[in-house]
Amino acid sequence: MYLKASLRVMARITHQQIAKEDDNGEVDTEEYMFRRLPVYKQRIAGKSIPFEKFSIHKANKYLEQNNRLFLPGLELILLWNGFKVLHHRPDLVQPMLNLVQTSLAELETSRGENVNYIDDWCLGTLLQGMSKDLVQDFYLAPFACAEVGFLYLEEGDLSQAKEYLNRARKDYENHMLQSRLHFRIHSALQEIKHVQKQAKAASKRNNKTKKYSKGDNNNSTSSFGEDSMEDSSDLERKDSSSSFETAPEDSGAEDEGNLGLVDEEGTLNQSALRETAV
């Protein structure tokens, strides 16, 4: 099943031919297509499809503005994430920029008559749709806010990207294509989470490597000190175990003194010696 209403809008904007259904003999003009667009609106399980609902909204706006839409082709490129692809093709972006500038200049001439001037002006400036004075296209503000977050993400500024993406998701509610935008924001936030997780793991590995290298140096130094202490302890044990048994120098003199053979001055007592011999 294809989205009939959305397909017809995109085909008309891009000048593609599609088969007519139940035209009742009327000429297939833009007005005819937009007027009959609600007939082709598709539903799934009784629920409206976001882009089908958006197409009907654009059809009603086309009829309200006397068969006119402001930059519908560039609006489709924005909604289908086409500018991310065109970012690498400046040769294609420059003609679009010229078209936007020309359209904005023409828009200024009808500022007093156009009740949707703010909506069209925000669409023309693409990423500057932050005004609260929008009349119908309330989706422009959250889309612009989210696009700023996507740009920060591409530049690697994760904190700013996260801030704008969360703002686009939380500060704006009940606008056109909200589910589609939230899917894109969720994908970008998951990418930020993945990058931060990788950075945290890399930092943890670096800290662990530094810790291990520092620990190895400390272990080598402490092992050297322990070895030196063990060597000195061994030497002390060997010295204590290898003590020589030597007789005291005064032991003989003490023994002879006890027998009375030696006097107080340490000389041999001849008389005592003779008495002993007798």
mmCIF file of all heavy atoms in Angstrom, residues 1-2 38 45 53 59-60 73 118 136 143 166 170 191 200 204 209-210 236 242 244:
data_model
loop_
_atom_site.group_PDB
_atom_site.id
_atom_site.type_symbol
_atom_site.label_atom_id
_atom_site.label_comp_id
_atom_site.label_asym_id
_atom_site.label_seq_id
_atom_site.Cartn_x
_atom_site.Cartn_y
_atom_site.Cartn_z
ATOM 1 N N MET A 1 0.843 -1.195 0.000
ATOM 2 C CA MET A 1 0.000 0.000 0.000
ATOM 3 C C MET A 1 0.880 1.248 0.000
ATOM 4 O O MET A 1 1.825 1.353 0.783
ATOM 5 C CB MET A 1 -0.893 0.016 1.247
ATOM 6 C CG MET A 1 -1.824 1.229 1.298
ATOM 7 S SD MET A 1 -2.717 1.328 2.873
ATOM 8 C CE MET A 1 -1.382 1.768 3.949
ATOM 9 N N TYR A 2 0.590 2.163 -0.901
ATOM 10 C CA TYR A 2 1.328 3.419 -0.936
ATOM 11 C C TYR A 2 0.437 4.539 -0.405
ATOM 12 O O TYR A 2 -0.784 4.415 -0.348
ATOM 13 C CB TYR A 2 1.816 3.729 -2.351
ATOM 14 C CG TYR A 2 0.717 4.043 -3.352
ATOM 15 C CD1 TYR A 2 0.327 5.367 -3.581
ATOM 16 C CD2 TYR A 2 0.074 3.037 -4.068
ATOM 17 C CE1 TYR A 2 -0.671 5.664 -4.480
ATOM 18 C CE2 TYR A 2 -0.925 3.332 -4.969
ATOM 19 C CZ TYR A 2 -1.298 4.636 -5.180
ATOM 20 O OH TYR A 2 -2.285 4.928 -6.076
ATOM 21 N N PRO A 38 -8.241 15.042 0.055
ATOM 22 C CA PRO A 38 -8.766 14.303 1.220
ATOM 23 C C PRO A 38 -9.393 12.957 0.865
ATOM 24 O O PRO A 38 -9.466 12.068 1.727
ATOM 25 C CB PRO A 38 -9.815 15.269 1.790
ATOM 26 C CG PRO A 38 -9.349 16.620 1.370
ATOM 27 C CD PRO A 38 -8.762 16.420 -0.002
ATOM 28 N N ALA A 45 -5.110 0.756 10.481
ATOM 29 C CA ALA A 45 -5.781 0.330 11.716
ATOM 30 C C ALA A 45 -6.617 1.459 12.305
ATOM 31 O O ALA A 45 -6.680 1.631 13.526
ATOM 32 C CB ALA A 45 -4.758 -0.167 12.736
ATOM 33 N N LYS A 53 -1.654 13.070 6.839
ATOM 34 C CA LYS A 53 -2.305 14.189 7.525
ATOM 35 C C LYS A 53 -1.634 15.509 7.156
ATOM 36 O O LYS A 53 -2.291 16.538 6.962
ATOM 37 C CB LYS A 53 -2.231 13.957 9.036
ATOM 38 C CG LYS A 53 -3.046 14.922 9.861
ATOM 39 C CD LYS A 53 -3.005 14.521 11.322
ATOM 40 C CE LYS A 53 -3.831 15.489 12.169
ATOM 41 N NZ LYS A 53 -3.799 15.095 13.605
ATOM 42 N N ALA A 59 -2.834 20.840 1.537
ATOM 43 C CA ALA A 59 -3.880 21.045 0.539
ATOM 44 C C ALA A 59 -4.866 22.121 0.988
ATOM 45 O O ALA A 59 -5.263 22.995 0.205
ATOM 46 C CB ALA A 59 -4.609 19.728 0.274
ATOM 47 N N ASN A 60 -5.233 22.078 2.248
ATOM 48 C CA ASN A 60 -6.146 23.099 2.774
ATOM 49 C C ASN A 60 -5.489 24.476 2.758
ATOM 50 O O ASN A 60 -6.137 25.484 2.445
ATOM 51 C CB ASN A 60 -6.565 22.735 4.197
ATOM 52 C CG ASN A 60 -7.410 21.471 4.244
ATOM 53 O OD1 ASN A 60 -8.096 21.129 3.278
ATOM 54 N ND2 ASN A 60 -7.352 20.765 5.370
ATOM 55 N N GLY A 73 8.747 22.688 -2.459
ATOM 56 C CA GLY A 73 9.794 21.720 -2.801
ATOM 57 C C GLY A 73 10.888 21.665 -1.741
ATOM 58 O O GLY A 73 11.286 20.580 -1.289
ATOM 59 N N ILE A 118 4.233 34.958 8.864
ATOM 60 C CA ILE A 118 5.234 34.429 9.791
ATOM 61 C C ILE A 118 5.566 32.977 9.464
ATOM 62 O O ILE A 118 6.740 32.568 9.469
ATOM 63 C CB ILE A 118 4.739 34.541 11.249
ATOM 64 C CG1 ILE A 118 4.555 36.012 11.623
ATOM 65 C CG2 ILE A 118 5.719 33.876 12.210
ATOM 66 C CD1 ILE A 118 5.833 36.812 11.615
ATOM 67 N N GLN A 136 -0.262 28.696 11.459
ATOM 68 C CA GLN A 136 -0.680 27.333 11.141
ATOM 69 C C GLN A 136 0.468 26.324 11.240
ATOM 70 O O GLN A 136 0.307 25.268 11.841
ATOM 71 C CB GLN A 136 -1.271 27.280 9.720
ATOM 72 C CG GLN A 136 -2.594 28.011 9.584
ATOM 73 C CD GLN A 136 -3.252 27.701 8.244
ATOM 74 O OE1 GLN A 136 -3.120 26.602 7.715
ATOM 75 N NE2 GLN A 136 -3.966 28.668 7.716
ATOM 76 N N PHE A 143 11.111 21.784 14.348
ATOM 77 C CA PHE A 143 11.995 21.264 13.302
ATOM 78 C C PHE A 143 13.259 22.119 13.199
ATOM 79 O O PHE A 143 14.358 21.590 13.036
ATOM 80 C CB PHE A 143 11.262 21.225 11.950
ATOM 81 C CG PHE A 143 10.647 19.888 11.647
ATOM 82 C CD1 PHE A 143 9.416 19.543 12.177
ATOM 83 C CD2 PHE A 143 11.292 18.977 10.847
ATOM 84 C CE1 PHE A 143 8.845 18.317 11.919
ATOM 85 C CE2 PHE A 143 10.737 17.735 10.577
ATOM 86 C CZ PHE A 143 9.498 17.405 11.113
ATOM 87 N N ASN A 166 16.826 17.941 22.930
ATOM 88 C CA ASN A 166 15.870 17.781 24.036
ATOM 89 C C ASN A 166 14.857 18.928 24.062
ATOM 90 O O ASN A 166 13.688 18.726 24.396
ATOM 91 C CB ASN A 166 16.620 17.708 25.366
ATOM 92 C CG ASN A 166 17.270 16.360 25.576
ATOM 93 O OD1 ASN A 166 16.751 15.328 25.146
ATOM 94 N ND2 ASN A 166 18.424 16.340 26.233
ATOM 95 N N LYS A 170 10.867 18.334 23.943
ATOM 96 C CA LYS A 170 10.078 18.575 25.155
ATOM 97 C C LYS A 170 9.305 19.894 25.129
ATOM 98 O O LYS A 170 8.241 19.989 25.748
ATOM 99 C CB LYS A 170 11.005 18.553 26.374
ATOM 100 C CG LYS A 170 11.672 17.209 26.605
ATOM 101 C CD LYS A 170 12.614 17.268 27.800
ATOM 102 C CE LYS A 170 13.299 15.928 28.031
ATOM 103 N NZ LYS A 170 14.237 15.970 29.186
ATOM 104 N N GLU A 191 22.889 8.166 19.165
ATOM 105 C CA GLU A 191 24.242 8.335 18.633
ATOM 106 C C GLU A 191 25.131 9.087 19.621
ATOM 107 O O GLU A 191 26.291 8.727 19.838
ATOM 108 C CB GLU A 191 24.188 9.089 17.300
ATOM 109 C CG GLU A 191 25.542 9.274 16.642
ATOM 110 C CD GLU A 191 25.456 9.996 15.310
ATOM 111 O OE1 GLU A 191 24.323 10.191 14.829
ATOM 112 O OE2 GLU A 191 26.516 10.369 14.768
ATOM 113 N N LYS A 200 34.025 7.432 27.281
ATOM 114 C CA LYS A 200 34.195 7.067 28.691
ATOM 115 C C LYS A 200 34.996 5.779 28.818
ATOM 116 O O LYS A 200 35.874 5.663 29.699
ATOM 117 C CB LYS A 200 32.823 6.906 29.343
ATOM 118 C CG LYS A 200 32.875 6.651 30.835
ATOM 119 C CD LYS A 200 31.476 6.580 31.421
ATOM 120 C CE LYS A 200 31.520 6.339 32.920
ATOM 121 N NZ LYS A 200 30.149 6.275 33.508
ATOM 122 N N LYS A 204 38.640 5.342 30.568
ATOM 123 C CA LYS A 204 38.830 4.356 31.627
ATOM 124 C C LYS A 204 40.009 3.452 31.318
ATOM 125 O O LYS A 204 40.808 3.116 32.211
ATOM 126 C CB LYS A 204 37.543 3.539 31.786
ATOM 127 C CG LYS A 204 37.550 2.628 32.991
ATOM 128 C CD LYS A 204 36.197 1.952 33.140
ATOM 129 C CE LYS A 204 36.179 1.044 34.379
ATOM 130 N NZ LYS A 204 34.852 0.381 34.535
ATOM 131 N N THR A 209 45.619 1.906 32.282
ATOM 132 C CA THR A 209 46.971 1.680 31.777
ATOM 133 C C THR A 209 47.992 2.486 32.576
ATOM 134 O O THR A 209 49.062 1.985 32.934
ATOM 135 C CB THR A 209 47.038 2.068 30.293
ATOM 136 O OG1 THR A 209 46.072 1.314 29.558
ATOM 137 C CG2 THR A 209 48.426 1.798 29.736
ATOM 138 N N LYS A 210 47.661 3.749 32.855
ATOM 139 C CA LYS A 210 48.562 4.580 33.650
ATOM 140 C C LYS A 210 48.729 4.006 35.055
ATOM 141 O O LYS A 210 49.829 4.009 35.611
ATOM 142 C CB LYS A 210 48.014 6.005 33.724
ATOM 143 C CG LYS A 210 48.047 6.750 32.400
ATOM 144 C CD LYS A 210 47.471 8.145 32.556
ATOM 145 C CE LYS A 210 47.476 8.886 31.222
ATOM 146 N NZ LYS A 210 46.879 10.244 31.351
ATOM 147 N N GLU A 236 73.263 -11.031 58.616
ATOM 148 C CA GLU A 236 73.225 -10.960 60.068
ATOM 149 C C GLU A 236 73.056 -12.336 60.682
ATOM 150 O O GLU A 236 73.684 -12.686 61.682
ATOM 151 C CB GLU A 236 72.089 -10.048 60.512
ATOM 152 C CG GLU A 236 72.341 -8.577 60.190
ATOM 153 C CD GLU A 236 71.167 -7.728 60.596
ATOM 154 O OE1 GLU A 236 70.170 -8.311 61.072
ATOM 155 O OE2 GLU A 236 71.237 -6.492 60.413
ATOM 156 N N SER A 242 77.915 -18.005 63.033
ATOM 157 C CA SER A 242 79.334 -18.367 62.863
ATOM 158 C C SER A 242 80.210 -17.728 63.924
ATOM 159 O O SER A 242 81.345 -17.374 63.669
ATOM 160 C CB SER A 242 79.798 -17.960 61.466
ATOM 161 O OG SER A 242 79.661 -16.567 61.313
ATOM 162 N N PHE A 244 82.804 -17.512 66.989
ATOM 163 C CA PHE A 244 83.884 -18.404 67.433
ATOM 164 C C PHE A 244 83.877 -18.518 68.949
ATOM 165 O O PHE A 244 83.669 -17.516 69.647
ATOM 166 C CB PHE A 244 85.248 -17.864 66.975
ATOM 167 C CG PHE A 244 85.378 -17.826 65.472
ATOM 168 C CD1 PHE A 244 85.172 -16.665 64.781
ATOM 169 C CD2 PHE A 244 85.696 -18.984 64.774
ATOM 170 C CE1 PHE A 244 85.283 -16.636 63.417
ATOM 171 C CE2 PHE A 244 85.824 -18.952 63.413
ATOM 172 C CZ PHE A 244 85.608 -17.777 62.723
#
